[in-house]
Structures are given as C-alpha cells and as structure tokens.
Amino acid sequence: MSAPAIAELEPQIRTALSKVQDPEIRRPVTELDMVRSIDIDADGGVTVGLLLTVAGCPLRDTLQTDISREVGAVPGVTSVRVDFGVMTEQQRRDLQSKLRGSAGGGEPVIPFAQPGSRTRVYAVASGKGGVGKSSVTVNLAAALAARGLSVGVVDADIYGHSVPRMLGVTDRPTRVEDMIMPPQAAHGLKVISIGMFTQGNAAVVWRGPMLHRALTQFLADVYWGDLDVLLLDLPPGTGDVAISIAQLLPTAELLVVTTPQLAAAEVAERAGAIALQTHQRLVGVVENMSWLELPTGERMEVFGAGGGARVAETLSTTIGAEVPLLGQIPLDTRVREAGDAGDPVVLSDPESPAAVALSAVADRLAVRRESLAGRSLGLSPA
C-alpha cells in the first residue's frame, strides 16, 4: 500500500473508532483520548494503540471485539490488532476532569442535585421490610431501560443490599483516580451497591455518619453519565438514609410501596408522610402482592385488600395534593424466581400478570425532565 493510500485510510479508521464506545463510560474512545496510535502497514494490517484506564480493565475483551469489528469493516483493512496500554496518572486526571466538566474543576458534585438536571430521581420507600420494595425497584428500572431510557440504580439499603443479585450484576466497580465507574447489568442499567465493596456476604455495621458518607460517594464519586432516570432502593422506615437522601437530593420524588394489609399500610403512611418534613414530592403509591390468581381464575387476597388505596388517600389528605395509586401488583412466584436468577420478570416473562402491572407503573414514570437552559425557542423580535 502506497504512502498516499495509507494517509487516506487513517481518517477512515479514526471514523470507525469513533463508533467504539468505552463499555463503562459509554462514550467514544476517540472522545476520551484513549486512542494512542494508529499504525498501518503496506499490506493493510492495522495496529490500534489503545490506553485503558486501569491495567486490569474487566471489559478489555469487549473493546478488543468492538475495535476489530469496526476497523475491520473499513475497505482496505486486511487485519486488526489492538495494542493495549495503560493511562498515566496525569491522563487519568485529565479524563476525570473531562467527564466531570471543567466548570466543576474536577471536584465531585452530585449531578442530580444541580440546577438544570434533567434526571428524574425516584426514591423507592416503604414503611417496613418484606413488602417487595427491592423487587419493585429493579423491575421498574429494567422496564424503563427497555423503553430506551438511560437508567441508574442506587442500592441505598446499605444493611439489606440485594439489588446486584436481583439484576444479575457480579462485576466490581472500576476506579479512575477518585472516580468510580459503576458496573453495568446485562439489561443496560448502571448499578452501585455497598455489596460490591464487601467481601462475600459480610454484614455492614455502620452508624449514621458512615451511611451518609457512603450515599454521598454513590451519588458524587460514581460516574453516572447522562441519566434519564435514577432509582434509589431505600431501606425500610424513616431513619438516617431517608434523611440523608432528602438532604443530598431535595428534588427526589418518593414512591411508596406497601402491601394490601392494613397493618402494613399504616406503617407505609408514616414513610410517605416524611415528605411533609423534607418538602419532597410524593409521586405515588404501589401496592405489591395485591392478590394471588388461582388456576380457577379467582383471586385470593392473601394479605387482605385496600391497603394501597388507603395509603394513597391518607397521604393525599396529609400532603394536601393528589397522591395516586400507580398500580397493584399481583402475587406471583415468577417475580421471586426471576429476582433470584438476576433477570427481572418484566424482561424474562413480560406477559405475566405481575410484569404487565409493573410495566404499566413504569409507563407512568417514564417521563424525562427537560431543561430549556441554553436551548433556542425559535423566537424572533416582532
């Protein structure tokens, strides 16, 4: 291949590389300054020098495959080899500043608490444990992602973390300087949980200040990118974590999960009423395990009836604004089975009654908050 032909080929290869995204950051490798070099030999063989953020990058094979596919499709390229290197400390700092934006000077901030944030933040709460709050959270997240939205999940239930298992996430976060790249579930969700930082099934024994610091890191130190929706799986009750979330994310909207049982509903009302003190919006109530559908077609109300409607009505009166009952989710063993398998039922069995009900709730939440800042409205002076 002549020198002029090689010179013409290089821009085409760079264009091909711009289609390759870093699997963790979800931005083109060319934009992230990861492409160190492009060498083309006389026979059309191409060697791409690529800088990884860390030496043990868990998604190295994915990058190898994607680069080989895109560059190999360029006419004139006969073979593709990827020569991996590792970024220097300065290059990692530059990358961190680029991702966080020059306005913040590279310092960690909570992007969802900034003016103009377009991310809808839903804090999924319950008055007590055992009502299926985590199952509701992961299925709503998966259903929203399936609609093409960019979705993140924070497992804020520090003591009772279960989200990684329910989403099938086994990878550990990758650290770039003091920034954390969250693992990605097979369903396209970004996920962070304290369970990713502990050994085995070790218990977390922390007091309030430690919980607050962990949540701050999850929100500020983790690189979330441009999310449409962020869901937080809160621990039951109205303790330290609920207070911290109200402080860190004052615009977060509360979604209360209860069962039909009146005893559970009374506790759920207290969890929802915290919005009066924190001045957060209550987006609605989800009643879980509403009934069991029998083979005869009849419904067995295992946990009674009316709890969700009661919570919605009581909270509407307490708050002075409508708090709708967003949906009733039937009791279904497939929800539990799918959660244990790490494959949410809205994806693994979307026609099941529980999946249909959960998807309907997701439809009501799938609205992106738009900002008009910096956008032309197409107006002109008269």
Side-chain angles (χ1 to χ4, degrees), residues 7 9-10 33 41 52 61 65 69 119 129 157 166 191 213 223 254-255 261 328 362 368 382:
L9 192 58
E10 183 170 338
D33 299 325
D41 63 31
L52 300 172
D61 291 344
T65 301
R69 181 185 66 248
T119 304
D157 193 350
M166 299 176 83
V191 186
R213 177 57 188 154
Y223 176 71
L254 293 179
L255 177 65
Q261 186 179 358
Q328 294 175 287
R368 178 168 180 148

Side-chain angles (χ1 to χ4, degrees), residues 171-255:
D171 293 333
R172 297 264 176 171
T174 301
R175 199 172 191 93
V176 177
E177 295 300 296
D178 59 354
M179 188 168 57
I180 301 169
M181 300 297 170
Q184 192 147 344
H187 329 294
L189 304 162
K190 293 180 179 179
V191 186
I192 199 72
S193 170
I194 196 64
M196 298 171 180
F197 299 91
T198 59
Q199 293 297 321
N201 197 30
V204 178
V205 186
W206 286 350
R207 292 185 182 273
M210 290 288 286
L211 296 174
H212 186 87
R213 177 57 188 154
L215 290 172
T216 302
Q217 287 191 275
F218 285 173
L219 296 170
D221 291 349
V222 171
Y223 176 71
W224 292 102
D226 186 20
L227 294 183
D228 295 306
V229 180
L230 177 70
L231 291 105
L232 299 101
D233 183 29
L234 303 187
T238 57
D240 291 321
V241 170
I243 295 169
S244 290
I245 292 299
Q247 293 173 343
L248 298 170
L249 294 170
T251 60
E253 302 170 72
L254 293 179
L255 177 65

